[in-house]
Amino acid sequence: LNDRIVVAVGGNALQRRGERLTIENMLKAAADMAPTIASLAQEHELVLTHGNGPQVGELALERSAATFDILGAESIGQIGYVLAQALSSAGCTTAPIICQVVVDPQDESFRDPSKFVGPIYGAKEATALSQSLGWVMKPDGEYFRRVVPSPPPLEIIQIEAIKTLLEQSPDILPIACGGGGIPVSRIPSNPRTLTGVEAVIDKDRCGSKLANELDADGLIILTDGGGIWQNFGKPDAREMKMASPEYLEGTKAGKNFPGSMGPKIQAAIDFVHNSKKEGAWAAIGDLKDAGKIFNNEQGTVVKEDVQEGVVWREGKSVASNPKQSKEQHKSG
């Protein structure tokens, strides 16, 4: 196989906006996605990770007394099974691994939650839930969603198991760090002892760390939208074909959308910055365009040494892509 790639699929890929979050819809979405992932796995050494925002939020509605580490574990197991079943039907054998990921329970994210979980709500319903259950609600486009703390991943407990699987069973696709992993912390008086943390780790930040620790050549973040846009939603909007981490940091790309596109862009930047591999790259693009991202026909590639920091995609505007014009999570 040519190279080692970590592919991160958003939880929203298993529940498109406007659709009810049901097992039937998840199975259908996974079946639609599976041939694309299976095809990539035939050509590359792949590790698949996935989000769980809609699913873990739905479980929280059903079981308001359960803590988010337990809900995260349940949703990761559920999604891992759904993906494994769909990929098996596409001829790809998988091994879903439930991963614990160490975080700092004193991280500042606990003071200002920003990670979207669960379904979308109208303003009145969001206010009612906030008052009755004490949830923190923030705008997500024209709707509202619950937000929870999202501390950065510090340590992936099962990383050696993932490495062993890649080295010893190259024909098996690992599904790892789903939902960003289950957030845990070490007890200071006994660091070997782990305890669950009430949070949800961003799957893209964890995917970036996973890719770095596996010495991956590339990180692909697949969305239900497209690449990174400048001035999204405005007449002069344009999509980036390639961009350097320095350009994205200098222009504060994605900072207007800290709960959605912002973490994806930061994850791409972090992977390229922290990679020990020469020529390491990250990419953000639509799930349906996954096969075209490798040759940069679609999406945005993030890498070092981009001439003038950015290359714009010719002939690609919001007006030319009706689907993109409805997406609110671009660079701003």
Side-chain angles (χ1 to χ4, degrees):
L1 296 175
N2 295 329
D3 43 14
R4 180 174 289 181
I5 308 294
V6 171
V7 175
V9 178
N12 285 326
L14 292 174
Q15 188 233 346
R16 296 280 177 159
R17 284 177 178 264
E19 289 185 354
R20 291 183 59 227
L21 182 56
T22 65
I23 296 298
E24 291 75 17
N25 281 340
M26 284 179 60
L27 288 168
K28 180 179 181 299
D32 291 342
M33 178 200 315
T36 298
I37 302 299
S39 176
L40 293 178
Q42 288 181 342
E43 300 175 7
H44 309 275
E45 187 179 51
L46 219 63
V47 176
L48 180 63
T49 188
H50 60 81
N52 70 337
Q55 293 79 12
V56 75
E58 191 78 11
L59 286 172
L61 275 174
E62 298 171 4
R63 301 173 54 217
S64 58
T67 57
F68 257 93
D69 57 321
I70 297 299
L71 294 174
E74 291 181 4
S75 65
I76 292 163
Q78 178 192 71
I79 297 169
Y81 158 67
V82 167
L83 291 174
Q85 186 183 72
L87 285 161
S88 178
S89 298
C92 181
T93 302
T94 64
I97 303 171
I98 293 180
C99 297
Q100 297 156 290
V101 177
V102 175
V103 301
D104 178 4
Q106 304 302 319
D107 184 77
E108 62 181 18
S109 64
F110 289 90
R111 293 185 288 275
D112 184 22
S114 63
K115 174 65 177 174
F116 288 122
V117 297
I120 56 176
Y121 302 101
K124 290 183 179 179
E125 193 176 9
T127 300
L129 286 168
S130 178
Q131 293 173 346
S132 63
L133 298 177
W135 290 359
V136 179
M137 311 293 283
K138 289 186 178 181
D140 183 17
E142 58 187 302
Y143 300 100
F144 289 82
R145 290 176 72 189
R146 184 184 181 184
V147 290
V148 297
S150 184
L154 303 179
E155 177 188 358
I156 300 169
I157 299 295
Q158 282 75 24
I159 190 66
E160 293 303 322
I162 301 166
K163 289 179 179 178
T164 299
L165 188 60
L166 286 171
E167 293 164 3
Q168 301 298 323
S169 302
D171 294 332
I172 295 178
L173 168 62
I175 302 176
C177 293
I182 302 166
V184 298
S185 64
R186 294 190 181 277
I187 302 297
S189 59
N190 186 6
R192 293 178 61 183
T193 302
L194 301 173
T195 184
V197 175
E198 187 84 279
V200 173
I201 303 169
D202 182 78
K203 73 101 176 41
D204 297 312
R205 293 184 77 173
C206 193
S208 175
K209 183 172 183 59
L210 175 65
N212 282 136
E213 296 204 11
L214 293 176
D215 288 328
D217 297 279
L219 168 68
I220 298 180
I221 300 173
L222 299 176
T223 71
D224 59 351
I228 307 172
W229 290 71
Q230 180 191 59
N231 297 331
F232 183 79
K234 299 178 181 178
D236 60 345
R238 52 183 178 170
E239 186 183 24
M240 301 177 195
K241 181 177 182 180
M242 289 186 289
S244 68
E246 292 74 19
Y247 178 85
L248 294 173
E249 290 176 325
T251 57
K252 298 182 179 180
K255 297 301 182 184
N256 290 339
F257 307 101
S260 48
M261 196 58 171
K264 293 175 174 54
I265 295 174
Q266 191 59 53
I269 292 171
D270 290 345
F271 170 69
V272 174
H273 269 329
N274 297 328
S275 178
K276 299 175 183 176
K277 281 288 189 83
E278 185 177 352
W281 54 272
I284 300 173
D286 196 294
L287 174 64
K288 66 178 178 57
D289 298 326
K292 297 180 179 180
I293 289 174
F294 281 91
N295 58 12
N296 204 199
E297 287 183 29
Q298 295 290 341
T300 302
V301 169
V302 179
K303 63 179 185 177
E304 300 285 4
D305 301 324
V306 176
Q307 187 174 7
E308 298 183 2
V310 65
V311 176
W312 301 101
R313 191 170 295 285
E314 295 182 8
K316 191 75 173 288
S317 68
V318 172
S320 70
N321 193 335
K323 176 182 176 181
Q324 290 266 8
S325 65
K326 297 178 182 178
E327 296 291 330
Q328 76 285 345
H329 56 248
K330 304 305 162 194
S331 72

